[in-house]
């Protein structure tokens, strides 16, 4: 309890002085799962994390005991799978990652996970809003297009919503885009930066290849590549054959996003990550959340960057994306209204 409070005080101080303490408590909810475990491992290896707080409805303390033997300075605590454990896990957290939820099986869409995961995310959001209302919340649980609006509605209902601190993690789409384009072009993925906008499922994932190093990609090569980026998740679901979806690549992507937020919180300027946030970009078309490049700062979203110039083909992809995205967002909002 005392330790948790102490970390919070340090974080409070840093809000005023970026160069002060580097202490950061990071909580993972769903820490014993397929994503939760490797994500927690990567966070244990991150020197910017001083305290790692792990919660799961089963297995949290075991994962924590295991990770706590790794010889990096951070402390690791696994909390009891009850309301008191969850509260203690959350208190003082600067970042809360939520990979808690059921993954897809072959033949399912991400939206098919809604019935199970909506209430899981809603309940965790309620606990987070009460225990750590100022933390950055990073939603990994699918369907991200709906679970992020669910968190925002919960926070609104509790009067603590700050749109600058709520993120849907879409980093994996960008990671895939960079890797897939490098495979086609026989280049080093480290040098491939592909902007991916929209949401995080199927046709709502919109890669903007015209803004990449390979703007001239066209025809069937382009179509195949765009399709692979949009449906990359399905490749893994199919290959795992009933055992779940992407976990290791997702852990890497989640850890990268958390690292970017910590870098920005700890005073680094110009940190840009693509992420699904409440966004003004398509509000005039009734779409309140949209993934685009976002500059991060000590308080979360510093600046939402414009989508930029797109070609006719990409504009069509965006138009298609917006139709689905609007419905997915509304579904999340309606869920919390009907099931507060
Ligand atoms: N945003 C993205 O790019 C991606 C999102 N995902 C999503 O992440 C979620 C998790 O996937 P996996 O880790 O593979 O699933 P998993 O089933 O391996 O792990 C989920 C964990 O959540 C825990 N859990 C369930 N309810 C909980 C609750 N109320 N509180 C705390 N923990 C709870 C389970 O005990 C389990 O350990 C899925 O919804 C999946 O679709 C997966 C890959 C990429
Ligand atoms: O495909 C899934 O269900 C998991 C996911 O979101 C991804 O891998 O992008």
């Amino acid at each position: 309890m005392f330790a948790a409070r102490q970390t919070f005080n340090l974080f409070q101080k840093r809000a005023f002085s970026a160069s002060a303490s580097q202490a950061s408590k990071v909580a993972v909810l769903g820490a014993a799962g397929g994503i939760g475990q490797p994500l927690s491992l990567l966070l244990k290896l991150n020197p910017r994390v001083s305290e790692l707080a792990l919660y799961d409805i089963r297995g949290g303390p075991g994962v924590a005991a295991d990770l706590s033997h790794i010889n990096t300075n951070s402390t690791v605590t696994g909390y009891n799978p009850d309301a008191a454990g969850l509260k203690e896990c959350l208190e003082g957290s600067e970042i809360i990652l939520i990979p808690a939820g059921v993954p897809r099986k072959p033949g399912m869409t991400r939206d098919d996970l809604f019935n199970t995961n909506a209430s899981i995310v809603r309940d965790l959001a309620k606990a987070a809003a009460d225990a750590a209302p100022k933390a950055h919340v990073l939603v990994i649980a699918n369907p991200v297009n709906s679970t992020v609006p669910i968190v925002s509605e919960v926070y609104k209902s509790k009067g603590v919503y700050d749109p600058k601190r709520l993120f849907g993690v879409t980093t994996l789409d960008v990671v895939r885009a960079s890797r897939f384009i490098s495979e086609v072009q026989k280049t080093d993925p480290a040098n491939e930066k592909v902007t991916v906008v929209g949401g995080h499922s199927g046709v709502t994932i919109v890669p903007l290849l015209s803004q990449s190093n390979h703007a001239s990609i066209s025809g069937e090569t382009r179509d195949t590549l765009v399709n692979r980026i949009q449906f990359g998740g399905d490749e893994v679901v199919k290959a795992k054959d009933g055992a779940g979806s992407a976990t290791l690549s997702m852990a890497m992507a989640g850890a990268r996003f958390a690292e970017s937020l910590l870098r920005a919180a700890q005073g680094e300027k110009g940190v840009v990550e693509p992420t699904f946030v409440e966004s003004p970009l398509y509000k005039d078309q009734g779409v309140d959340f949209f993934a685009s490049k976002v500059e991060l700062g000590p308080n979360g979203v510093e600046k939402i960057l414009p989508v930029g110039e797109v070609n006719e083909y990409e504009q069509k992809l965006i138009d298609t994306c917006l139709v689905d995205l609007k419905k997915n967002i509304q579904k999340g909002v309606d869920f919390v209204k009907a099931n507060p």
Side-chain angles (χ1 to χ4, degrees), residues 6-38:
Q6 198 176 41
T7 309
F8 184 64
N9 288 339
L10 292 168
F11 172 48
Q12 292 288 83
K13 260 189 232 155
R14 191 170 48 256
F16 300 100
S17 160
S19 60
S21 160
Q22 303 283 294
S24 292
K25 178 176 176 181
V26 176
V28 181
L29 312 183
I35 295 167
Q37 291 201 37

Side-chain angles (χ1 to χ4, degrees), residues 55 80-90 127 131:
Y55 178 82
N80 288 337
D82 54 31
L86 178 56
K87 180 169 182 272
E88 219 185 317
C89 173
L90 291 164

